[in-house]
Structure formats: C-alpha cells, structure tokens
Amino acid sequence: MTELLVTEFVERARRHHPRRSVVGYEHGTEVLRYDYGTLAERVARLAGALQRLGVRPGDRVATLCWNHHRHLELYSAVPMVGAVLHTLNLRLSAEEIAYIVGHANDRMIVADADLVHLLDGVRPELGVIDSGAALEELVADGPELGMPPLRSEHDLAILCYTSGTTGRPKGVGYPHRGLYLHTFAACLADGHAISARDTVLHVVPMFHANGWGVPFAATMAGAAQVLPGPHPTVAELAHIIERERVTYVGMAPTVAVDLLAHVCREGSDVSSLRALVLGGSTPSVDLIRSWEELGVPVFQGWGMTEISPMATFTRDPFPPDDPAERHRRTRTQGTLLPGLQWRIVDDEGRELPWDGESAGELLVRGPWVVDAYYLGEAPDRFVDGWLRTGDVATIGTDGRLRIVDRTKDLIKSGGEWLSSVAIEQALLADPDIADVAVVGVAHERWQERPLAIAVLREGATAGADELRARLAQRVPRWWLPEEIVLVAALPRTSVGKTDKRRLRAQFAGTTTSTGKG
Amino acid sequence: MTELLVTEFVERARRHHPRRSVVGYEHGTEVLRYDYGTLAERVARLAGALQRLGVRPGDRVATLCWNHHRHLELYSAVPMVGAVLHTLNLRLSAEEIAYIVGHANDRMIVADADLVHLLDGVRPELGVIDSGAALEELVADGPELGMPPLRSEHDLAILCYTSGTTGRPKGVGYPHRGLYLHTFAACLADGHAISARDTVLHVVPMFHANGWGVPFAATMAGAAQVLPGPHPTVAELAHIIERERVTYVGMAPTVAVDLLAHVCREGSDVSSLRALVLGGSTPSVDLIRSWEELGVPVFQGWGMTEISPMATFTRDPFPPDDPAERHRRTRTQGTLLPGLQWRIVDDEGRELPWDGESAGELLVRGPWVVDAYYLGEAPDRFVDGWLRTGDVATIGTDGRLRIVDRTKDLIKSGGEWLSSVAIEQALLADPDIADVAVVGVAHERWQERPLAIAVLREGATAGADELRARLAQRVPRWWLPEEIVLVAALPRTSVGKTDKRRLRAQFAGTTTSTGKG
C-alpha cells in the first residue's frame, strides 16, 4: 500500500515543475527567487540538518514565523524527518505562546528575529533557532537527508492550536493522510482549482490552519508561489500582485476591504487575478461587487482549524446573470467539498431538513476532519465520528450553507434564541454604522438581552438613540438591543475576528432590568 | 478514521446535485431521463434486492453489459452491499468469458439480452439475471438497503480482467481506496477537470477499466451523465453530443476518426465539447488538428487497467501558440498525475535519466496502482511496490512521457533492440498506407527481423516492393522490414487495439534466412 504523505509534493514539484518559481519579498522588495529544484534541495538539506540536531520522529518543531520561504521549506522538511511542524500564532501574547509551547512540549522553535520577544515566557532550556542566518547556515551545512525514516500516513505532519475564543487554545494535529486528501480537494476543478497555471500569493498566515492548505496545494500542483514576508501592508500586496501577475489569493474580508481601497486609489493592475477567495467572515455585497467591477472573480470558502481547514466553496456551476442573485450566492458559505459530509441538528441531536430555514448546530465529518484534539482535550466536541463545529447554520434546498451564528453567540431571551449575527446584519444596513458587535447581557426578567457595540462611519453624526430608533423600523421589537454603545473601534482576536469574548467580559456588568423591546 | 468508499459518491450526488440528470439512449433515441435523487433511490433498492438474493460481502457479481443506466446503478449498488462488481468484456469469445467467470468464481451475472449467448460456456448453475425486465423488477421490489455492511477502504469494489494480449487474462481488483483517490485525480483542475458544469457522455465501455473512472468522477462531481446504450454508432454519438450539449467525452482514436468523418459530413454541432480525451493509442497530428479546427480541445491520457486506469494527461499549463508544437505535446502521452510516481529503468533495473532519449521499461506506483493481480498471478510484474508496465518509454526533460513500444513488441535484431512502433510510424508517413503493424519474425542470422503487415489507403495502387523502396529513403537500413505483406484489414483485440499476438502467430512461419537490411 502506498502511504499518503504530504512530503511527496516537494519531490513531485522538483521532478515535474522544475522551472516554476518560489519568490520571496520583504517590505515590498523582491529578496529571493528560486525554482522547485532548489526548493527540493534546500528542504532535503534542512531535513538532514534537523536530523543531525537530534530531531526524532514524533518530535514537535515549532515555528514563530511570517510567510517567507524558510517557513515554506519547514512545511516539508520537518515532516520529512517524521517530526511535527507546530505553527505558532504570532498574534498571541507571550503568555499564551508559553502556554501553547508547554502544552505541545515542543522540542525546538524556529523564530523570526522580530518575534523572538514573544518567547520570553517559554522554558529557557528550549532551543530557539533564528529563522534567518542560523537557519541558512543549517541549510548550507546540512547533509542531504538520505533515507527518510519510515512513516505512516497516520503520523502527524502539522500541529496548530485554535485561537481559543472559547477557552484555552486546543491543539489540532493533522495526520499526513488528511492533509494529503485536503490538498487534492483544494485542486479540484470544482474547488479552489489550484493548478500549474497559477501564481499563488500567500497572504493567509502560514501559522493559521496550514495557510488554508494552499502551500501544499500549490506545491503539489506546481504553481508559482509568492511569499510577502513580514508585516505585509496592502500597498505591498498590490505591488506584488501587479509585478508577479498573481492569479490566486485568499484573505479575510477585512484585508480585502483595505486592499480594494488601495487598488482603487492607486489604480493598481489586478487583472491577473482569476480568484480572490475570502474566508473568516461573510463579505459584504459591496465588497464582492467592487472587486467584480475590477474584473476579479470573488469566492467564499468556509472552514475551521479542525477541518484542515477547507470545508466549502462558492464556485457556482451555472452562475446566474443577475448580479444580485450571484452576490447572494457568494455571500452564503457555499457548497460542501467532495469527500466531506455534514448535517445540522437540533438541541437533541435530531437531524434538521435542508430547507434554508431550520437552523441547528453544524456537524461535519470526512477524511480531513480531525477526530480528536491533540492529547484528547474536549472530547465532547466529537460525537460518533462527527465534529461539532459550534456554528449554528441553515442548509438550503440547493445545498448552500449559511452560518447563522456561533452556538455561544446566541442570546437566550425569554425562552427564545436570538441571533446576534442577524441583529448585527440589520445594524450594518444603517449607512451611519461602519462596524458592530452584538453580545448578550444578563437581564433579570428576560434572562438575556442583546447589547450592541457600534463604530460610526467617518463623518456620521447620529447618536445611539437615533440609530436605535432607525433599527426599530426594520426588525421585530424583541430583536432591538437594550442599548447601543458607540466606541472608536472593536477589539480583534489574533486572527482578525471581532473579539466577542473580550466584549462580553467588558460589558458583563451592564445588567439591564427592564425589557425595552 | 473515515474510510474512503466510492459508494459515498451517489449519496453525495443525491444531496448536493439532486436535479442533475442521468440520461439513457438506445439506438440514438432517448429512452430514459432521471435525476440523482432517483439514481440514489434505485441504487439503494438494487442493493437491497441483491442482499435479499443472498449476495454477501466479498462475492463477485459480474456484468455483461453495454453502457446503460442499469450498469451505472450496479457500479454503486454492488459495492454498497460489500460485494465486488466484476465487469466482463463483451468483445471476448464465449470461451474466454467462461475462463474468466470461472477464474473469478463469480456468484451471479447480470447480462444484456443480446449478449446472453456469450455465456454459453459458463457453468449452468450460475445465476444469470437479465439486465432489462428482471433487473427492473428487482429495483421495483427491492427494499431500500437499510444499514450497509461495515466495509473497509481496502475491500475490493470492482474487478476487471486485462484483455490478455500477453497470455491468459489476469484479474485486476480495485479496492475502494484506490478508486476513491483516482476519482479525486480525475476531477483535478490539472487533470480531466470533471466538474458539476459537465455533461459527460460515456463512450468508453464501462466494462473496460472502470470506464476510465469517469462514471465515479461524474457522480462525485455531480456532472450530468449520458449513456449511449447498446452498439452505439458514430451517427448516434454525434446526435447525442448535439442534443445533450455534451462537454466531456473520452474515446479511442479510431472512434474519434470515424466520429470526425461523420461530423464533417453531416455538419453536426459539437461546439459544446470542452474536452475530447483520446486514449489507447497515439492519435495522429491530422486527427488532433481536425478536431481543433472544429473548436474542440483535444487531450490525450495514458493509463493501464492496472492503474485504475489513468496515469497521465496532456493538459498544458501554458499551451504554445505554435500549433505544430502544441500538437507535438498532445501526441506525447503527457505528464504524470499528482499522487503517482514513475521511473524508467534499463534491463538491469537501473534508473534512466529524463532526457527524452533514454528508453527503458516504465515502472509506476501510487495509491491507485494495484500492487498485485487478483489471486496473486504474475507476481513478477510487481517489484518493490512498483508495477512493471511492460511499456518501453522515454521521459523528456519537461516530464512528458513518450511510449516507445511494448517490451514484447521490441524486435531483437543482431543484438540491437528495434522498435516496431518506430517502424510503424515511419510506414504510416507514406501517403499510400492506411494502417500497419510490424512484428518480429525469426531469422537465422539476425535472431529476429521486422515484418510489416500493411493496409493500403483507398485508391492507392503501390505494391509492397515500391512501399519498401520508399521507406528505405527514410529509415536506417537495419530498420527496413524483411517484407511488407499487404492485407485488407488488421485483426483487432477486444478493446480495438491491433492484435499483434494473432499476427505473430499467423506469421510465425515466415522465417527469413538472409538479412536484406
């Protein structure tokens, strides 16, 4: 039997796409350009050096790195010696990183120089290798890895911790087998369709759920890969897209908003893009329409760290001519990738129909859905082989997913579930509101009631009462937040999502006593 | 762990592409049209009926069928009860079929009425079910299969015998796992790219190496599927392509030649085709160019029954503008699909370089390459996990495969290997020759020498000596066949290839004593 190992992809690229490039940028300037032949050789030397340093099969080798070529090399080199690449999230605090490094019991850490301060809390005896000169020396001196150790497709290749919005971060270990199948799924004609024709720009952090799996997919397909380096700004991204004729890029909607503004202001040439893939939160119609007007097709993918992460895609076999209907479909979370299965269930675990109305918790299973957390934490999230996603969703008769809410973001008001996301969407329809979050606060009569924290659009002058009055015209009375609090900006998590956990803590004292709704 | 089972695809199609169609034709007339919801229900009933008939996990259920919807239903229904679908080649003789049915120890056979006479030689106690009314009754009466038996991805789903050009037919058993990964490979953007947008016409017989894997790929992708029924003529195929707006079709070059002639004569509309995939033998430049002039992109795939069967594809990431170079590339056997590995080796098993010149036996391995024949026959064809293909090939610096010959078709002349295929290609360049085969015949001085058996083009009047004299202008002297024998037609194997085994037997007596070359 052939074991399914993701470490084969770099060898495939060397043999079958030797002339395709890996390109590195730093602060908008090209600093490196080599081909897959060189990548494969460097990976083999790096693997040999790691082995000589004493890294053994099963060891965790952590990275605290931006998206650069050495991070890409480690993606293959660490699993090649049978070890596990543990990607650390550089947006976490030193304290959180210390917890995660300790929990994973990492053997060594490769870190970018400007991020080393985040390792202040880790145990001092842990080896920290600078990802720059020190790693380059390892590559230069490394003996090419001869015979790699025997590995099974069930061995872990990568380990990544969730961002921990629901408690302590949990480890998600990816076996080769799941990542291998996820890579094939990413290259399906009906999926992201990553191919040898593509030039891929890695904007999604490679520490975040395998960079959405695109580094492996691009390597397997023999696509050109461009790495933007540390702290990429939207100006740098626009410049790189134009200069490298990038065809495929994925990013969070917030980044796409800023990039769009830059592109429109500077007139950057983005005509090479065949796919702008958005993920992490639902993009607005405005955002989709504006990119389409630039000639860039927009897709949405939905996934989770626990799903490697891709689960859905919004590619439409027969896109409608009507732009409104097209945008509506792109704003759903799309249809399920082949290989996966899903269902929505009510509180008692009973399956709900695909009618676009019935909302329940989304369960997912399949070859690249992990079936346990690292070291077996939170076993209640896995039921009979299904992952409980914690997302509340509907599935339409057309098989399109719509995430309605996180289970923990639902507000229980007078025995009824209120969707914070639905109230947020209604508030965002107000032209004066730029950003908003709705959380539940304790209420003595109704148990819980919604509270909105909003950011005004530049130049808007409406007060909280006026905004609330306007909203009352558009939503059922019982949806109306007890209060709208105006703030300058919303707090964000390490992956750019609104940090509702922090908002809930901040406004926990805002107990209300009378239901104005 | 999620087992990789091909029986999931029909359920996926039902849930995610309920309105896409399966369409059946008979003699050019539409006889049936249903959707994937119906397909899934019929498959479940058929599986239930098979179970009630006593079919148990591991049993072989044979089919002797044309490409029709009941054959497609059996593709999923038989593996769904844990049994093995054994596809019988309807172009074999009754004697050969009796041997294969006996060897596989089939439990029952589903046969088309017009093919039942081919079962005269099988043991009488074997149950034969008519694929028409009798099967329809089973579907109608079948209880929906409740809980399918537990199955492993290593269980066989399909069994198919090689056409036996090198001895007795050998069984090739396909486990679910290999077929599942093969299905993903068929849907890759860089592969056949079968997608939900496609309407697929099944011209490749479904008894021949899983119909190239397209029935599973189309079902997984949710493509519409069209089945042409018994004895399809090129006139029927052209009519179906036009009427159903077929986008994807695969066939042997000989069928594509006849279809082209019909399309040009009748002016059929083939503008819907996005891919005409040729396989089985190398297409001529003329054939590729003529289809391209009709606006139909032509691809070539190379594979083998033992590889499920797809191994290569000629999709070009950056097709050259120059048509001659484009056609040259399409006439190679293409580049290797992701997931597989190959090498070419000399007689001592040493790996040869990818230089486009060094020719050696092609070895292939990967997740959908079988690692043994059914019941363990011919173990010498499998070495250290590699399949010895029996094909002699070169691999270019660009990774493109060129099949030079079959090892058994090489002619050993005076200690040098002569390629029968190279001599055939040289002869086909003569405008008077329509078809040709070159075989080796014994020679007392040179050990073996080539003999050519040729078919003249309509209206051509050249004699054998004249053809030989012309060839002498174009090839090395020692390539020149001892003799060119003119015949009315070449014998064909059951899958349409030139039957060299028969020619070798027929001309075995033609011992030559003097090397004219």
Side-chain angles (χ1 to χ4, degrees), chain A residues 1-4 8-9 12 15-20 153-154 177 180-181 183-185 187-190 193-198 220-222 315-318 335-342 351-354 365-369 371 385 397-399, chain B residues 1-4 8-9 12 15-20 153-154 177 180-181 183-185 187-190 193-198 220-222 315-318 335-342 351-354 365-369 371 385 397-399:
Chain A
M1 191 187 82
T2 306
E3 301 283 332
L4 309 177
E8 273 171 23
F9 300 147
R12 172 179 167 79
R15 298 296 309 242
H16 291 278
H17 301 281
R19 275 175 233 134
R20 294 291 271 163
E153 66 190 37
H154 301 294
R177 174 185 164 102
Y180 188 100
L181 283 152
T183 304
F184 268 68
C187 296
L188 291 175
D190 275 337
I194 292 170
S195 84
R197 296 181 290 290
D198 277 318
M220 182 181 91
R315 186 180 298 282
D316 211 316
F318 304 102
T335 52
L336 189 64
L337 290 175
L340 300 182
Q341 294 173 17
W342 66 19
E351 190 167 3
L352 296 171
W354 295 16
R365 73 173 171 193
W368 55 92
V369 182
D371 50 16
T397 52
D398 55 4
Chain B
M1 191 188 80
T2 307
E3 300 283 332
L4 309 177
E8 273 171 22
F9 300 146
R12 172 178 168 78
R15 298 295 308 243
H16 292 277
H17 302 280
R19 275 175 235 134
R20 294 289 272 163
E153 65 190 37
H154 301 294
R177 174 184 163 102
Y180 188 100
L181 283 152
T183 304
F184 269 68
C187 297
L188 291 175
D190 276 336
I194 292 169
S195 84
R197 296 181 289 290
D198 277 317
M220 181 182 91
R315 185 180 300 281
D316 211 318
F318 304 102
T335 51
L336 189 65
L337 291 174
L340 300 182
Q341 295 173 18
W342 67 18
E351 189 168 3
L352 296 171
W354 295 16
R365 73 173 171 194
W368 56 92
V369 182
D371 50 15
T397 52
D398 54 4

Side-chain angles (χ1 to χ4, degrees), chain B residues 46 49-50 53-55 61-65 68 70 74 107-113 116 119 126-139:
Chain B
L46 190 47
L50 289 171
L53 281 173
V55 174
V61 174
T63 54
L64 185 62
C65 294
H68 50 58
R70 295 197 189 95
L74 287 160
R107 189 195 167 92
M108 62 170 68
I109 304 181
V110 180
D112 288 0
V116 169
L119 297 175
L126 198 71
V128 176
I129 297 174
D130 170 68
S131 73
L135 202 74
E136 200 52 49
E137 229 167 85
L138 286 181
V139 171

